[in-house]
Amino acid sequence: MAIAIRRKPTGPRPLSLALQGGGAHGAFEWGVIERLLEDDRLEIKAVTAASAGAMNAAALAWGMIEGGREGAKARLESYWRAVNQSGGRRRWATARTTTG
């Protein structure tokens, strides 16, 4: 009789994220993503997202490129602090046209 020996996987466990929209969900997801980034046993390999989740995904990707896990945490914090400072209002750029 053969006995199978299960080996522990080496390296971090790959993780795929699906992030949803909605401002409150986006802010909640920020905290969840930050916690996942703090766990060296996990590695975020893929992200799919909509709306506020897509903003988190973009900040996460940008931060990972800039500075790995710490860069991602910093970029997410920077983004959500900016949202907080704006009061959640959209700031639309106005274009001036001149005729002459």
Side-chain angles (χ1 to χ4, degrees):
M1 175 165 95
I3 298 175
I5 298 174
R6 296 183 99 190
R7 296 177 193 224
K8 277 190 161 184
T10 58
R13 181 177 181 184
L15 184 65
S16 297
L17 302 178
L19 307 175
Q20 66 184 29
H25 288 122
F28 173 78
E29 288 169 350
W30 166 34
V32 172
I33 295 167
E34 186 166 303
R35 177 62 187 100
L36 294 172
L37 289 167
E38 291 171 354
D39 191 336
D40 290 336
R41 298 171 300 167
L42 303 173
E43 181 179 11
I44 298 171
K45 296 292 253 180
V47 181
T48 184
S51 193
M55 299 307 293
N56 279 330
L60 171 65
W62 185 7
M64 289 295 284
I65 290 167
E66 285 184 330
R69 292 172 184 260
E70 292 303 314
K73 287 168 43 178
R75 184 57 60 192
L76 283 160
E77 180 176 356
S78 174
Y79 171 73
W80 282 103
R81 292 211 181 275
V83 168
N84 181 49
Q85 292 298 317
S86 73
R89 295 183 303 275
R90 291 182 179 163
R91 296 183 182 185
W92 299 101
T94 58
R96 289 191 204 187
T97 57
T98 58
T99 58

